[in-house]
Amino acid sequence: MKFENLKSGEQFFLNDFLYTARDQAHSRLLKLIKAQSSLPIDLSDSIIYYCGPSATPNGRVVGSCGPTTSSRMDMFVEPLLKAGLRIMIGKGRRSKKVRMLIKKYKAIYFIAPAGCGALLSTKIVSKKLICFKDLGPEAIYRLKVKDFPLIVAIDSKGHSIYEDI
Amino acid sequence: MKTDSLQHQIDKLVKRASFSLRPDLMNLLIKAYRSEPVSRAKKALGWIIDNARIAEKENIPICQDTGFPVIFIELGKDIKISADDAKRIEKYLVTSYENNFLRASTLDPITRGAPSYKGLSMHFEFNPALKGVKLTFLLKGFGSENKSQLKMFNPTAKLEEIEEFVLSSVKSAGPEACPPFVVGLGIGGTSNDCLLLAKKALLMPLDKSNPDKTLFKIERSLFKKINSLGIGPMGFGGMHTVLAVRVKKEPTHIAGLPVGVNISCHALRYASIKIFKL
Ligand code: SF4
């Protein structure tokens, strides 16, 4: 995905694959990175979406699936960027450190409509469990999204629509 | 399941609270949408309103964080309740969370482990003016619950100091807690009482003014001040950081002035029912 020219504040509709990961999944990825073990997903080619969907009702692709608070993942960002990650999606402000890291690694941070999990579920075409099944909603899922609405919160130059937290 | 059974009533309550927004809240959101001058903030409000309509039509949760379940059980004068009844209420709530595909979001605070549907916050109170039992079920999302604040003021503290405290709580909640908010403020009691009062303040009707004149004034003043912070819907700026401020008070000790702030995100989800037989 090309994102280098996107500027903070711009709206963007994503058609791609996302990997959901929140607190516990991040903490496990970090352990694997520290132990130099192989990772269940190739971070350099991935978009991480801070999200733990509600259960999937019969006949639907996914339950409600909006973003969770990104700043709780701030402490995990540096090693993930080092391992190749460039695109993060969540809600809310980030620390100054994360903003500077985004600039350094030419990464990007998008926000998805917060508290709009029902709306966002209609933009998801498929869902597949990838790993950490025992974590239930906190497991890593691969979501295929179509016209998934996003706003650039911190662009690759480190410009943010928010103040640092 | 018999339609008048307790289990059926609780299931209805859970569905209503998690799949739809209350009319009083929806009206405030629509009013905010119509009057919001900042275009990105207006778009955010549009998303929030569309989201609520989709959730209600398709019977899916308004938000994937289907909250920590909080239930208030108000007992009228003619009702008898046993420990078994309380257990049944808890069991039916859990079943209903599972059956309606809400999220397993609760776990042991130390060992963490796999999220489950276990654990809830249950509160009993008496209301001699009531016939039967009133159940009020609140799904408290943790993006906003994490921003709760307690401060034990000196008894001589001025009202402005309390207002400052509320303003700083709202600022620190920021975009993460999913504004526009409903802010609940509890004043008095002991430390835990004022926090519970703040939570209960969120359950006051949003389309009626506070019957207590002093509290009404505090609500009005805070409403103006919070909305001039400019955080706005999803943190995009604009006029609407808060949709309503609700305040409750109760007697406290001469040596203190406990104040609790409980913030609700725009997805303030609760529902009540009255039942006459457990
Ligand atoms: S703060 Fe409220 S609206 Fe936002 S994600 Fe949490 S429960 Fe949902």
Side-chain angles (χ1 to χ4, degrees):
Chain A
M1 176 199 163
K2 286 225 166 305
F3 60 82
E4 293 76 8
N5 296 327
L6 292 175
K7 289 196 175 56
S8 73
E10 259 182 77
Q11 185 166 343
F12 186 79
F13 291 94
L14 187 71
N15 291 285
D16 211 324
F17 290 94
L18 312 176
Y19 288 98
T20 65
R22 37 178 294 153
D23 312 65
Q24 298 302 333
H26 270 78
S27 142
R28 287 196 189 179
L29 286 175
L30 214 70
K31 268 197 199 129
L32 292 172
I33 293 175
K34 276 200 185 131
Q36 298 186 325
S37 311
S38 67
L39 296 181
I41 54 176
D42 177 7
L43 284 175
S44 61
D45 203 23
S46 303
I47 302 174
I48 294 248
Y49 179 30
Y50 304 139
C51 170
S54 58
T56 308
N58 302 327
R60 288 189 75 89
V61 174
V62 65
S64 197
C65 56
T68 194
T69 305
S70 307
S71 57
R72 292 199 317 270
M73 264 53 77
D74 279 1
M75 59 182 166
F76 303 110
V77 166
E78 187 161 20
L80 263 54
L81 289 173
K82 271 193 188 140
L85 179 72
R86 291 294 175 268
I87 309 175
M88 298 163 272
I89 304 173
K91 70 161 158 122
R93 296 167 290 183
R94 313 282 331 229
S95 65
K96 180 170 183 202
K97 186 174 174 210
V98 166
R99 188 166 58 76
M100 297 324 284
L101 285 167
I102 287 174
K103 187 176 170 189
K104 177 174 167 195
Y105 285 91
K106 297 195 172 48
I108 193 163
Y109 167 54
F110 291 102
I111 46 171
C116 297
L119 172 86
L120 290 170
S121 79
T122 65
K123 313 288 178 191
I124 290 173
V125 182
S126 69
K127 171 184 173 226
K128 189 179 163 211
L129 175 71
I130 300 297
C131 59
F132 310 149
K133 185 173 179 223
D134 60 300
L135 293 179
E138 292 207 70
I140 294 188
Y141 295 96
R142 186 176 191 244
L143 306 177
K144 185 178 183 193
V145 300
K146 191 172 178 293
D147 300 328
F148 196 77
L150 297 174
I151 286 178
V152 182
I154 305 178
D155 63 28
S156 55
K157 301 216 167 49
H159 299 306
S160 178
I161 58 165
Y162 296 139
E163 281 171 23
D164 301 331
I165 198 170
Chain B
M1 232 193 286
K2 277 209 208 111
T3 51
D4 65 344
S5 71
L6 180 62
Q7 182 169 10
H8 187 263
Q9 297 288 338
I10 287 181
D11 193 59
K12 259 183 23 194
L13 194 64
V14 169
K15 283 195 175 100
R16 189 143 50 89
S18 50
F19 299 161
S20 61
L21 292 184
R22 300 170 57 83
D24 54 351
L25 179 63
M26 213 37 189
N27 286 340
L28 289 184
L29 284 165
I30 292 169
K31 218 173 106 195
Y33 175 78
R34 293 206 177 117
S35 60
E36 179 57 62
V38 173
S39 70
R40 205 184 290 147
K42 193 179 177 82
K43 182 192 285 288
L45 288 163
W47 275 330
I48 292 167
I49 293 163
D50 286 350
N51 180 68
R53 290 186 176 139
I54 292 170
E56 184 159 12
K57 187 165 144 255
E58 304 196 8
N59 289 322
I60 53 167
I62 294 275
C63 179
Q64 74 289 341
D65 182 356
T66 51
F68 193 85
V70 183
I71 187 153
F72 295 96
I73 303 172
E74 227 177 294
L75 301 165
K77 61 172 192 280
D78 50 352
I79 204 89
K80 284 201 180 68
I81 187 165
S82 67
D84 275 351
D85 295 326
K87 276 271 158 249
R88 273 166 65 223
I89 292 173
E90 177 168 359
K91 189 176 117 204
Y92 296 152
L93 268 178
V94 171
T95 315
S96 189
Y97 255 69
E98 285 190 50
N99 290 349
N100 290 299
F101 304 96
L102 305 199
R103 193 174 74 179
S105 308
T106 52
L107 38 65
D108 181 284
I110 311 285
T111 59
R112 311 305 291 190
S116 71
Y117 291 100
K118 279 185 212 125
L120 86 168
S121 163
M122 195 183 250
H123 306 271
F124 290 95
E125 54 198 67
F126 298 100
N127 178 358
L130 182 77
K131 242 181 134 11
V133 184
K134 187 175 169 195
L135 301 180
T136 300
F137 171 58
L138 164 73
L139 295 91
K140 194 62 174 66
F142 251 62
S144 51
E145 184 67 7
N146 274 340
K147 308 292 186 171
S148 310
Q149 303 256 9
L150 165 71
K151 189 158 179 175
M152 306 299 280
F153 283 91
N154 278 331
T156 49
K158 298 206 170 59
L159 208 49
E160 293 88 78
E161 291 172 62
I162 295 179
E163 287 198 347
E164 256 324 298
F165 170 60
V166 178
L167 287 173
S168 83
S169 305
V170 172
K171 270 192 241 168
S172 94
E176 295 80 69
C178 296
F181 304 130
V182 175
V183 172
L185 179 63
I187 307 176
T190 64
S191 55
N192 59 311
D193 295 315
C194 72
L195 283 168
L196 186 60
L197 268 184
K199 197 165 261 136
K200 282 195 204 162
L202 297 176
L203 310 177
M204 293 166 74
L206 301 174
D207 50 6
K208 289 194 188 94
S209 37
N210 200 317
D212 182 306
K213 285 223 167 61
T214 323
L215 300 185
F216 173 72
K217 270 197 200 145
I218 300 176
E219 289 177 357
R220 206 176 43 185
S221 159
L222 276 170
F223 180 81
K224 276 198 199 132
K225 288 182 181 159
I226 295 173
N227 276 332
S228 50
L229 291 176
I231 298 169
M234 294 186 197
F236 295 159
M239 279 168 47
H240 299 95
T241 300
V242 76
L243 296 167
V245 180
R246 309 266 70 174
V247 188
K248 276 186 178 285
K249 66 170 181 178
E250 61 187 25
T252 190
H253 191 274
I254 46 170
L257 174 49
V259 177
V261 179
N262 196 273
I263 290 178
S264 172
C265 50
H266 58 73
L268 170 57
R269 290 155 292 169
Y270 73 94
S272 301
I273 41 160
K274 260 191 214 151
I275 44 183
F276 298 98
K277 186 174 91 264
L278 282 167

